[in-house]
Amino acid sequence: MQFLSLLAFAATSTAAALPDGTSNFVERASACTRASAATLAAAKSAFTSAGLVPDLVPQFNPDVALKASWNGKQVQLGNTFNTLQTLTEPQVSFTAEPGQDPANTKYTYFLVDPDAPGPEAPILADFLHLIVSDAQPSCVADQQRKTIASYMPLTPLSVSPHRYTFLVYRQPPNYTPPPSLMYLPGVRNNFDLNSYVEKAGLVGPLGGNFMRQGLAQDVCAITPNCTQDGTGYPSS
């Protein structure tokens, strides 16, 4: 009993010794999900294996796990979708970043295509499909995200699949997104992701995910016995 009393006294003393607001930060942070080391390692490996490092970003050392889905189908580090599955804006969430207060830290996430109009000659890359700012980790219920560049559905022009990629970055305090005509529909090609990030003072990428989609997937969606590799031809 005396031992338990000492523990309670120590906990109370520690909380009292913390600076104003620190105990609240610790409480909020402890209620949020953190990505496991294995999850982060898998994401880093997948980005490297897919060539997204350095094709899209110079390096990728994630601290958060980013989840994305279209109508319930999850993006899983390189799985395939077809055009009918990606007509509407995807749902995006991510885990809390270690060392940051989830309630008072905001993030910007992107969806870009580094393979437009096709992986063999990506002369329109990066093609911008979505920018959302003021996002917060999934544990923050009352967040108010702002759409900076509205969602443009994915329309790959090559049979070879494109690597449609989600990336999330931390915003600096009092963040204002850079102005750009690139936000308008129809002028999204040749978006310079890394230049935008530098100009905006964003930190990251802190997390990411990607999927693949090409015309082969659309052919497979309507072709019986389509081959598993998505080439769009019957297997027999």
Side-chain angles (χ1 to χ4, degrees):
M1 184 64 70
Q2 289 180 338
F3 176 69
L4 293 177
S5 298
L6 287 172
L7 284 178
F9 174 76
T12 302
S13 300
T14 300
L18 291 172
D20 291 343
T22 303
S23 59
N24 291 335
F25 160 66
V26 172
E27 182 179 354
R28 289 192 296 266
S30 64
C32 288
T33 302
R34 296 290 194 280
S36 69
T39 296
L40 299 177
K44 180 176 181 178
S45 176
F47 265 65
T48 302
S49 297
L52 291 168
V53 180
D55 289 355
L56 181 58
V57 290
Q59 58 184 1
F60 184 66
N61 298 295
D63 287 320
V64 307
L66 185 151
K67 294 183 178 180
S69 65
W70 273 276
N71 301 311
K73 181 175 178 178
Q74 297 291 324
V75 174
Q76 297 177 340
L77 296 173
N79 59 331
T80 59
F81 285 70
N82 64 59
T83 299
L84 293 178
Q85 294 173 320
T86 58
L87 292 177
T88 58
E89 184 172 339
Q91 294 75 50
V92 178
S93 64
F94 50 93
T95 57
E97 180 187 2
Q100 299 294 326
D101 185 346
N104 295 311
T105 309
K106 296 183 178 181
Y107 301 81
T108 292
Y109 64 81
F110 302 81
L111 172 58
V112 295
D113 175 9
D115 296 319
E120 295 79 9
I123 58 174
L124 301 180
D126 304 325
F127 196 97
L128 174 63
H129 284 275
L130 179 67
I131 303 178
V132 174
S133 70
D134 289 357
Q136 293 174 275
S138 54
C139 59
V140 179
D142 59 348
Q143 56 186 286
Q144 297 182 348
R145 301 180 176 188
K146 298 177 182 177
T147 298
I148 304 302
S150 60
Y151 177 63
M152 286 189 66
L154 315 185
T155 54
L157 299 179
S158 65
V159 171
S160 300
H162 297 212
R163 299 164 295 175
Y164 292 99
T165 307
F166 295 87
L167 292 164
V168 60
Y169 296 76
R170 187 190 332 123
Q171 298 172 187
N174 303 313
Y175 176 69
T176 300
S180 175
L181 294 176
M182 296 297 295
Y183 305 155
L184 300 175
V187 290
R188 300 288 188 85
N189 56 282
N190 301 116
F191 174 71
D192 191 335
L193 171 67
N194 295 307
S195 176
Y196 181 102
V197 166
E198 182 179 1
K199 182 178 180 180
L202 299 174
V203 177
L206 299 174
N209 208 331
F210 69 100
M211 43 73 76
R212 300 178 190 272
Q213 183 176 315
L215 292 178
Q217 278 65 46
D218 295 326
V219 174
C220 277
I222 60 174
T223 303
N225 303 316
C226 182
T227 53
Q228 292 300 312
D229 61 0
T231 54
Y233 297 98
S235 57
S236 61

